[in-house]
PDB file of all heavy atoms in Angstrom:
ATOM      1  N   PHE A 421     -10.861 -11.840  -4.107  1.00 95.00           N
ATOM      2  CA  PHE A 421     -10.417 -11.748  -2.716  1.00 95.00           C
ATOM      3  C   PHE A 421      -8.910 -11.812  -2.561  1.00 95.00           C
ATOM      4  O   PHE A 421      -8.257 -12.670  -3.156  1.00 95.00           O
ATOM      5  CB  PHE A 421     -11.026 -12.822  -1.840  1.00 95.00           C
ATOM      6  CG  PHE A 421     -10.445 -12.938  -0.457  1.00 95.00           C
ATOM      7  CD1 PHE A 421     -10.671 -11.939   0.477  1.00 95.00           C
ATOM      8  CD2 PHE A 421      -9.594 -13.936  -0.129  1.00 95.00           C
ATOM      9  CE1 PHE A 421     -10.121 -11.991   1.721  1.00 95.00           C
ATOM     10  CE2 PHE A 421      -9.021 -14.054   1.151  1.00 95.00           C
ATOM     11  CZ  PHE A 421      -9.276 -13.069   2.060  1.00 95.00           C
ATOM     12  N   THR A 422      -8.351 -10.961  -1.810  1.00 92.00           N
ATOM     13  CA  THR A 422      -6.869 -10.968  -1.549  1.00 92.00           C
ATOM     14  C   THR A 422      -6.628 -10.098  -0.312  1.00 92.00           C
ATOM     15  O   THR A 422      -7.564  -9.645   0.428  1.00 92.00           O
ATOM     16  CB  THR A 422      -6.068 -10.543  -2.776  1.00 92.00           C
ATOM     17  OG1 THR A 422      -4.712 -10.760  -2.528  1.00 92.00           O
ATOM     18  CG2 THR A 422      -6.275  -9.042  -3.028  1.00 92.00           C
ATOM     19  N   SER A 423      -5.307  -9.723  -0.096  1.00 85.00           N
ATOM     20  CA  SER A 423      -4.985  -8.729   0.866  1.00 85.00           C
ATOM     21  C   SER A 423      -4.044  -7.762   0.280  1.00 85.00           C
ATOM     22  O   SER A 423      -3.153  -8.132  -0.510  1.00 85.00           O
ATOM     23  CB  SER A 423      -4.220  -9.391   2.083  1.00 85.00           C
ATOM     24  OG  SER A 423      -5.006 -10.316   2.741  1.00 85.00           O
ATOM     25  N   LYS A 424      -4.360  -6.505   0.489  1.00 75.00           N
ATOM     26  CA  LYS A 424      -3.428  -5.466  -0.015  1.00 75.00           C
ATOM     27  C   LYS A 424      -2.146  -5.586   0.820  1.00 75.00           C
ATOM     28  O   LYS A 424      -2.208  -5.628   1.998  1.00 75.00           O
ATOM     29  CB  LYS A 424      -4.000  -4.056   0.283  1.00 75.00           C
ATOM     30  CG  LYS A 424      -5.246  -3.726  -0.553  1.00 75.00           C
ATOM     31  CD  LYS A 424      -5.718  -2.367  -0.295  1.00 75.00           C
ATOM     32  CE  LYS A 424      -6.957  -2.052  -1.153  1.00 75.00           C
ATOM     33  NZ  LYS A 424      -7.510  -0.702  -0.803  1.00 75.00           N
ATOM     34  N   VAL A 425      -0.994  -5.622   0.167  1.00 65.00           N
ATOM     35  CA  VAL A 425       0.229  -5.811   0.791  1.00 65.00           C
ATOM     36  C   VAL A 425       0.839  -4.424   1.060  1.00 65.00           C
ATOM     37  O   VAL A 425       0.658  -3.462   0.342  1.00 65.00           O
ATOM     38  CB  VAL A 425       1.240  -6.624  -0.077  1.00 65.00           C
ATOM     39  CG1 VAL A 425       2.596  -6.734   0.489  1.00 65.00           C
ATOM     40  CG2 VAL A 425       0.638  -8.038  -0.260  1.00 65.00           C
ATOM     41  N   ALA A 426       1.583  -4.320   2.217  1.00 60.00           N
ATOM     42  CA  ALA A 426       2.081  -3.029   2.680  1.00 60.00           C
ATOM     43  C   ALA A 426       2.838  -2.279   1.535  1.00 60.00           C
ATOM     44  O   ALA A 426       3.674  -2.844   0.918  1.00 60.00           O
ATOM     45  CB  ALA A 426       3.038  -3.266   3.886  1.00 60.00           C
ATOM     46  N   GLY A 427       2.417  -1.044   1.401  1.00 56.00           N
ATOM     47  CA  GLY A 427       3.232  -0.095   0.533  1.00 56.00           C
ATOM     48  C   GLY A 427       2.715   0.020  -0.859  1.00 56.00           C
ATOM     49  O   GLY A 427       3.051   0.982  -1.571  1.00 56.00           O
ATOM     50  N   THR A 428       1.925  -0.908  -1.379  1.00 59.00           N
ATOM     51  CA  THR A 428       1.459  -0.893  -2.714  1.00 59.00           C
ATOM     52  C   THR A 428       0.571   0.262  -3.008  1.00 59.00           C
ATOM     53  O   THR A 428       0.454   0.736  -4.191  1.00 59.00           O
ATOM     54  CB  THR A 428       0.809  -2.211  -3.177  1.00 59.00           C
ATOM     55  OG1 THR A 428      -0.249  -2.529  -2.262  1.00 59.00           O
ATOM     56  CG2 THR A 428       1.844  -3.312  -3.145  1.00 59.00           C
ATOM     57  N   GLU A 429      -0.217   0.726  -1.991  1.00 61.00           N
ATOM     58  CA  GLU A 429      -1.060   1.910  -2.114  1.00 61.00           C
ATOM     59  C   GLU A 429      -0.730   2.794  -0.923  1.00 61.00           C
ATOM     60  O   GLU A 429      -0.281   2.322   0.135  1.00 61.00           O
ATOM     61  CB  GLU A 429      -2.558   1.573  -2.091  1.00 61.00           C
ATOM     62  CG  GLU A 429      -3.009   0.829  -3.322  1.00 61.00           C
ATOM     63  CD  GLU A 429      -4.534   0.483  -3.232  1.00 61.00           C
ATOM     64  OE1 GLU A 429      -5.132   1.041  -2.335  1.00 61.00           O
ATOM     65  OE2 GLU A 429      -4.957  -0.168  -4.152  1.00 61.00           O
ATOM     66  N   ARG A 430      -0.921   4.079  -1.085  1.00 63.00           N
ATOM     67  CA  ARG A 430      -0.666   5.036   0.049  1.00 63.00           C
ATOM     68  C   ARG A 430      -1.466   4.643   1.216  1.00 63.00           C
ATOM     69  O   ARG A 430      -2.716   4.389   1.126  1.00 63.00           O
ATOM     70  CB  ARG A 430      -0.978   6.365  -0.464  1.00 63.00           C
ATOM     71  CG  ARG A 430       0.034   7.007  -1.432  1.00 63.00           C
ATOM     72  CD  ARG A 430      -0.586   8.176  -2.177  1.00 63.00           C
ATOM     73  NE  ARG A 430      -1.194   9.184  -1.380  1.00 63.00           N
ATOM     74  CZ  ARG A 430      -1.843  10.197  -1.896  1.00 63.00           C
ATOM     75  NH1 ARG A 430      -2.040  10.371  -3.161  1.00 63.00           N
ATOM     76  NH2 ARG A 430      -2.383  11.084  -1.034  1.00 63.00           N
ATOM     77  N   GLY A 431      -0.833   4.610   2.418  1.00 67.00           N
ATOM     78  CA  GLY A 431      -1.520   4.394   3.633  1.00 67.00           C
ATOM     79  C   GLY A 431      -1.640   2.929   4.055  1.00 67.00           C
ATOM     80  O   GLY A 431      -2.108   2.626   5.199  1.00 67.00           O
ATOM     81  N   VAL A 432      -1.284   1.934   3.201  1.00 62.00           N
ATOM     82  CA  VAL A 432      -1.264   0.625   3.548  1.00 62.00           C
ATOM     83  C   VAL A 432       0.062   0.194   4.220  1.00 62.00           C
ATOM     84  O   VAL A 432       1.010   0.160   3.476  1.00 62.00           O
ATOM     85  CB  VAL A 432      -1.597  -0.286   2.292  1.00 62.00           C
ATOM     86  CG1 VAL A 432      -1.608  -1.788   2.695  1.00 62.00           C
ATOM     87  CG2 VAL A 432      -2.905   0.080   1.688  1.00 62.00           C
TER      88      VAL A 432
END
Side-chain angles (χ1 to χ4, degrees):
F421 170 71
T422 190
S423 298
K424 294 180 182 179
V425 176
T428 54
E429 293 183 7
R430 288 161 49 188
V432 179

